[in-house]
Amino acid sequence: LAACNSIPIIGPATERTSLQAQRSASAALDLESLENIDTLIRLNNKWLAKDIKSVLQEQARSNPAYTFRKLNVNFTRQIIALKATIDVNYEPGQTISAELSGDILLDFDGPGLVWLPRFKDLRISSRNFVFKELQYPEPTAEVAQDLLQTMTSDIATPIVQQTMNLIPLDAIPLGEIQVGASLPGFSDSSAISSRTLKGKVLVAGSATLIESSVTTIALDLSFIPEISSCPADIRVSRAMFTNRVVSREPVEIVENLGGQTSARYFYSEISGVKQPISIIHYWFADGLPVTAEELPVEPSTRWRTWSGKGAASQDAKRWEVLVVEKETGCILFADSIRALETLEDMAQADLAQARQAFASLKESFKQRTGGFSIHDEKPDIALVEIQRPFLSKTLQEALADTSMSVEFDSSSLSPLHFSATLRAFNPQDIVCEERKCPTTPACKADVTQCKKLRDTRDCSSCKFRNPLNNRCVSEFIDPLCEASRDRQNAIYEAEQANCIADAEDMRQACEQLAVQATRSCQSDPNFKGPMCESIKADLLAAIPSSELARVSTQARAAGSLTINFSNFRIEDDLENLKLDMRLTSDLQLDGDLVFTPYKGNQSLADCISGWNSAFTTRFATIPSVNDLMNPIEATGDTLTAKWSGFGLSLGTNPSPIEAVFIEHPELLASCHIGLKLGQVEQSISNDNSGFFNGQLHMEIQPLPTIINLAPVSIKLWDKTYLGEAHLSDRYLRFDLGE
C-alpha cells in the first residue's frame, strides 16, 4: 500500500453487508493461507482512529481549501468506516459544505501498519454556490463526483505518496549482543564489545480481524540475516517498479497490482557514491525470496541501474525489492507493490450472511491463535507476542556469522611480577676438561598447526521449483552470502599467514639459539683448570637442592591482546548457547632479569650477578577454545549465558632466559664451567619458573554473553510508545501503553 500513489475512487457500495461479507471471506482466505502464525498483534482501535484522524486533518490543513468540521473513524466487523463534515473553499467568499463518507483499508507491511483512505461518497448540502467558476443553485451528481475526485487528489493521494499512512511497528526487534572478558592478574580492566544484530524480517503472509474495539493481526514471517541499515552518505534518490526502461529511464511505471498489471523491472538511481561499489536487488514474492541480481555502481552523483524478476511467478499478491549494498550488507532502500481490492470482487450478501461470514472468521482466528496468551486481551495501545521457537530461530540466524572481538591494549595491561629460585647445577654435568664444540644443528619452521581453514557454505538458492516433484529447476547464487563468505575466508587466510610468519620467527629464534650455543662454547673452549675444579667441588659438597640465586623480573606489555568470539549457536529453544573463543596477539613483553646470588662460591656468585640484563619476548603460541557451552538464563528482556573462568598456557618466543643469553652468549662462558642454556633453564624452580622458561599461565574470565532484546515501538502521529520485552516459556511478549 505504501507504494501506491494513486487512490481508486470507489462509488457507494450497494450494501454495507456485502462489503462486510466480502472482507470477512477475504480475511478467512488470508488466514487459511498462513503456513505458520509466528506473531500476533492486538491493537486498540481508539489509538488507530486517533492516528488516522490526525493525519487526515493535518493534510487538510495543509490546503486552505479544506476544513474538517467533524471527522469520525469507526471500527465494526471487518470495516473501518470514515464519515466527515467538510467545508470546501475553492472560490473567495464561497463555502461548499458536504458530508463525506468512505472507508479505510488496513494491512501490515514490513515496516508496520499501512492504512489506505478511500473516499467513496460525497453529499453536498450547500445551495447557490460557485464551483470552478460556475454557479449552482442546487448540487448535482456531476459536481459531487468532480469534487470527490478533487478531494481524493488533494487529501488522500498525498497521504499515501508521502507515506503518512504508515504506522511504524517493528514486530521483531532483534536487539544487540554483548561479549567481553577480563584477565585476572594481567589486566586492570575488562574489555566489552556489543553489536546490533543484523537482519530483516519480511511478512510472508498476514490476516486481519477487525472488531469494534480491537484489531488483531496474525503474521507469518520470514527472516533474512546479515542485513542492516546503511549510513546516510549513499542513498537511493529515485526508485520504482516499471515494465520498461528506455534510454536508461523508466516508462510504464507500476504503482499497484491489479488485473493483468505486473511489474517486470525495479529501477533505482544511486547518489553519493565516491568509489565503485556493488548493490544487490533482492526480489521477494509474498515475503519469499525469488531472485537476486548484483549490479555495479560507479562513482557518480546520479547512477541509474535496474534489475528484472525474470520469469518469476506472476501470481504474487505482493512484490518487494530490497536494495542492499554488497560489502556491508546494509539496506539502502526497500519498496513494495501489492494488489488492491476492487469492487468487482464484492458479492451481494444480506445481513445474516454478513454476520455468519464474520462469525466464521472470528472462530477461525480463535482456533489458529488460541495458543497465544494475548488472543483475547484488550491492549492499552498494542500487544505483540512472538512464538518462542521463531524467536530462537531468528536469533540463531542473526548470530550465525557474527564474529566479535574485545581488545586489551598496553594501557589496560598491568605489569607482570615474577620471581623464582636458581638452584645448584648438577655437578655431574660439569666436565673440567677440553671438549669439542658441537656442530650447529639445523632448524625447521613447524607449520603443521597452520591449517588452511575455508568457509564452504553453500550460497545457492532455488529460483524455481517443479510443482510436481518440488525439485529445483533453476538456481541463483546469493551475492550477499558470497560477500560474507569471502570476508570470512580473507580472515582465515590472514590468520594462516600470521601463523606461518610466527613459525618462521620461531625457526629464526632456533637458529639464533644454536648459534649462541656454538659461540658460548667457542668463547672458552678449555674448561680444565683450578677455577672449574673449585666450583665443581663446592657444588658436590652442597645439598642438591641448595639455592644459588633469586631471579626476578617485572615484565611490561606493549601492543594488544585480542579475544575473538565466533560461531555462536543457540540450541534447544533458547536453552543453551555455544561459541568458540580464539586469542590473537601482537603483544611484546619487555623487562629486566635480576639475579641476586646467595652466599656460596664467590667466583660463581660473581658470574651469576653479571647475568642481569634486559629482555624482549613475544607470544608465539595462542590456543583456541572451541565449543564453550552454558545454559541461557532468561529474565525479562535479557538472555544471559555466564561462563566459568579458565587458564591457558601461552608460549613466549624466545623465553626471557633465552632472550638474555642469545643476546649475550659470553655470560654463560664467563662462569668457566661450560654452562649451557638448558642447564640454567632446568635449574630455575618454583611456581613462576614457567615464565622464565617461556610459558605464561594466563587466567581468562569471559564475561557473561548477553543478548538484549529491543523493545517494540509504535509511532502514532507525533508520539512513540515503547513496550519492553517479557520472555516466557512459550512466547516473547510486549505491552505498549502510555
Side-chain angles (χ1 to χ4, degrees):
L1 298 180
C4 309
N5 56 17
S6 68
I7 309 298
I9 296 176
I10 301 175
T14 56
E15 290 289 344
R16 188 179 202 179
T17 53
S18 296
L19 182 59
Q20 288 177 333
Q22 190 274 334
R23 295 278 176 82
S24 297
S26 178
L29 290 175
D30 290 340
L31 183 64
E32 185 179 349
S33 68
L34 300 184
E35 183 176 349
N36 298 295
I37 298 180
D38 303 306
T39 296
L40 190 67
I41 302 173
R42 300 266 291 172
L43 300 158
N44 188 320
N45 290 342
K46 178 183 72 174
W47 293 94
L48 290 182
K50 181 179 178 181
D51 184 84
I52 293 169
K53 289 167 61 177
S54 298
V55 173
L56 287 169
Q57 290 168 338
E58 179 67 18
Q59 181 58 31
R61 281 194 293 268
S62 68
N63 190 324
Y66 302 105
T67 303
F68 278 114
R69 289 194 285 115
K70 185 186 296 184
L71 178 59
N72 292 318
V73 176
N74 297 311
F75 290 73
T76 185
R77 294 184 291 269
Q78 290 307 104
I79 292 179
I80 306 175
L82 174 66
K83 294 193 71 174
T85 301
I86 189 167
D87 289 340
V88 183
N89 302 280
Y90 273 117
E91 306 292 341
Q94 291 287 325
T95 298
I96 303 174
S97 297
E99 298 294 326
L100 174 69
S101 64
D103 72 335
I104 302 291
L105 290 177
L106 186 67
D107 200 4
F108 192 92
D109 208 342
L113 289 164
V114 178
W115 54 271
L116 181 68
R118 306 198 309 173
F119 298 163
K120 292 183 178 180
D121 187 42
L122 188 71
R123 298 184 183 274
I124 299 174
S125 58
S126 296
R127 301 290 186 270
N128 297 314
F129 59 88
V130 176
F131 179 65
K132 293 187 176 180
E133 299 182 351
L134 295 177
Q135 181 75 37
Y136 293 90
E138 296 287 340
T140 65
E142 291 77 13
V143 171
Q145 184 65 20
D146 191 356
L147 185 55
L148 184 66
Q149 291 180 350
T150 304
M151 290 175 59
T152 296
S153 299
D154 291 345
I155 298 177
T157 299
I159 287 174
V160 176
Q161 289 177 331
Q162 301 169 33
T163 65
M164 297 168 64
N165 62 327
L166 172 66
I167 301 176
L169 173 61
D170 185 2
I172 306 286
L174 292 177
E176 66 174 22
I177 182 171
Q178 175 182 296
V179 298
S182 62
L183 306 174
F186 193 24
S187 175
D188 291 333
S189 61
S190 301
I192 297 174
S193 176
S194 62
R195 174 177 298 177
T196 300
L197 296 177
K198 297 197 298 183
K200 181 174 177 61
V201 176
L202 297 175
V203 179
S206 66
T208 303
L209 174 67
I210 300 175
E211 299 176 89
S212 60
S213 61
V214 176
T215 293
T216 306
I217 302 173
L219 298 177
D220 183 2
L221 303 173
S222 61
F223 180 71
I224 309 298
E226 298 184 6
I227 292 178
S228 62
S229 297
C230 286
D233 53 342
I234 300 175
R235 63 187 181 89
V236 176
S237 52
R238 199 162 49 118
M240 62 205 69
F241 291 90
T242 183
N243 273 323
R244 286 199 304 150
V245 178
V246 178
S247 299
R248 304 187 64 83
E249 281 296 315
V251 295
E252 296 183 25
I253 295 170
V254 179
E255 297 169 348
N256 55 72
L257 303 176
Q260 300 301 314
T261 304
S262 64
R264 297 176 58 192
Y265 303 103
F266 187 78
Y267 179 94
S268 58
E269 182 178 283
I270 315 299
S271 302
V273 176
K274 294 181 173 57
Q275 57 185 4
I277 64 170
S278 292
I279 64 171
I280 305 164
H281 281 185
Y282 280 95
W283 286 77
F284 297 86
D286 292 331
L288 300 177
V290 292
T291 190
E293 185 169 345
E294 182 176 344
L295 304 166
V297 178
E298 296 297 328
S300 173
T301 57
R302 182 171 170 261
W303 184 271
R304 295 168 291 175
T305 187
W306 59 92
S307 68
K309 68 180 180 183
S313 171
Q314 303 293 324
D315 299 330
K317 294 181 180 179
R318 179 173 177 272
W319 285 96
E320 183 172 9
V321 172
L322 300 182
V323 182
V324 178
E325 200 276 314
K326 181 180 178 180
E327 184 60 29
T328 60
C330 63
I331 300 175
L332 288 164
F333 189 79
D335 201 359
S336 63
I337 54 173
R338 63 170 62 245
L340 298 180
E341 176 189 38
T342 62
L343 277 174
E344 287 71 23
D345 296 329
M346 298 182 183
Q348 297 295 319
D350 60 25
L351 182 59
Q353 290 172 323
R355 287 179 174 175
Q356 178 58 40
F358 180 77
S360 176
L361 170 64
K362 189 172 180 180
E363 180 61 26
S364 297
F365 252 90
K366 182 177 180 181
Q367 292 176 0
R368 292 292 304 271
T369 65
F372 286 86
S373 69
I374 65 170
H375 79 284
D376 60 355
E377 291 188 33
K378 184 174 181 179
D380 184 7
I381 293 178
L383 291 170
V384 178
E385 198 163 71
I386 304 164
Q387 285 197 5
R388 182 169 168 142
F390 180 77
L391 173 68
S392 178
K393 178 184 175 183
T394 299
L395 290 177
Q396 176 55 62
E397 291 179 355
L399 287 169
D401 296 312
T402 299
S403 178
M404 303 175 65
S405 297
V406 295
E407 184 176 288
F408 298 87
D409 59 22
S410 55
S411 64
S412 63
L413 299 174
S414 55
L416 298 173
H417 299 270
F418 296 101
S419 64
T421 299
L422 179 66
R423 298 194 177 278
F425 307 118
N426 187 347
Q428 304 301 324
D429 294 335
I430 298 176
V431 180
C432 296
E433 60 184 21
E434 292 185 11
R435 70 179 184 189
K436 184 177 181 181
C437 294
T439 304
T440 303
C443 296
K444 294 183 179 180
D446 182 8
V447 296
T448 56
Q449 293 184 342
C450 304
K451 301 183 183 299
K452 187 175 182 179
L453 301 176
R454 297 293 297 172
D455 186 337
T456 58
R457 79 183 86 166
D458 184 8
C459 289
S460 61
S461 298
C462 187
K463 276 187 181 180
F464 313 111
R465 293 186 180 275
N466 186 328
L468 298 179
N469 57 20
N470 202 37
R471 291 181 180 175
C472 187
V473 177
S474 176
E475 290 187 344
F476 72 94
I477 302 299
D478 187 337
L480 191 60
C481 172
E482 277 193 316
S484 177
R485 186 178 62 189
D486 292 344
R487 286 194 296 270
Q488 184 59 58
N489 283 327
I491 293 173
Y492 286 152
E493 290 173 3
E495 289 176 348
Q496 184 189 33
N498 290 336
C499 179
I500 293 173
D502 288 342
E504 178 61 23
D505 289 343
M506 294 180 69
R507 183 192 66 78
Q508 293 177 3
C510 172
E511 290 179 346
Q512 285 183 297
L513 181 60
V515 170
Q516 178 274 334
T518 302
R519 289 171 58 195
S520 179
C521 177
Q522 293 173 346
S523 62
D524 192 358
N526 189 351
F527 299 104
K528 185 176 181 180
M531 183 179 294
C532 178
E533 295 291 351
S534 173
I535 295 174
K536 183 175 181 179
D538 288 343
L539 293 176
L540 286 170
I543 301 173
S545 61
S546 62
E547 300 172 348
L548 295 180
R550 178 178 179 272
V551 57
S552 61
T553 187
Q554 174 179 286
R556 299 167 298 277
S560 63
L561 177 69
T562 301
I563 302 177
N564 176 263
F565 300 85
S566 63
N567 199 17
F568 294 87
R569 288 147 289 167
I570 293 178
E571 299 184 339
D572 306 322
D573 188 22
L574 298 177
E575 296 297 328
N576 295 291
L577 178 65
K578 273 187 174 182
L579 55 80
D580 297 343
M581 195 186 73
R582 184 178 70 254
L583 278 71
T584 57
S585 169
D586 64 353
L587 275 183
Q588 176 177 296
L589 296 177
D590 298 295
D592 295 279
L593 288 187
V594 178
F595 289 86
T596 306
Y598 297 129
K599 292 181 179 180
N601 184 283
Q602 189 61 44
S603 297
L604 188 57
D606 291 343
C607 173
I608 292 173
S609 63
W611 291 354
N612 297 340
S613 185
F615 70 88
T616 296
T617 186
R618 65 185 185 86
F619 289 111
T621 58
I622 304 291
S624 298
V625 180
N626 295 328
D627 292 327
L628 287 176
M629 186 176 76
N630 212 68
I632 294 175
E633 300 176 8
T635 55
D637 62 350
T638 303
L639 302 173
T640 304
K642 297 179 179 178
W643 311 100
S644 299
F646 50 86
L648 293 176
S649 211
L650 308 181
T652 59
N653 183 40
S655 71
I657 292 293
E658 290 175 338
V660 168
F661 293 117
I662 286 173
E663 185 69 25
H664 307 286
E666 71 281 358
L667 295 179
L668 293 180
S670 65
C671 292
H672 304 290
I673 54 174
L675 277 179
K676 300 178 182 178
L677 177 62
Q679 290 175 271
V680 178
E681 290 179 323
Q682 293 170 12
S683 298
I684 294 179
S685 64
N686 83 4
D687 292 342
N688 292 326
S689 60
F691 174 78
F692 296 96
N693 293 324
Q695 291 293 321
L696 174 63
H697 182 80
M698 179 180 290
E699 289 184 47
I700 300 177
Q701 177 58 65
L703 300 180
T705 299
I706 300 173
I707 299 175
N708 293 307
L709 302 173
V712 162
S713 64
I714 184 170
K715 186 175 182 181
L716 293 166
W717 186 228
D718 59 349
K719 190 172 182 180
T720 299
Y721 302 91
L722 298 178
E724 298 297 327
H726 297 280
L727 184 65
S728 69
D729 58 348
R730 295 184 62 191
Y731 296 102
L732 176 65
R733 172 174 172 151
F734 303 86
D735 293 70
L736 290 86
E738 287 191 281

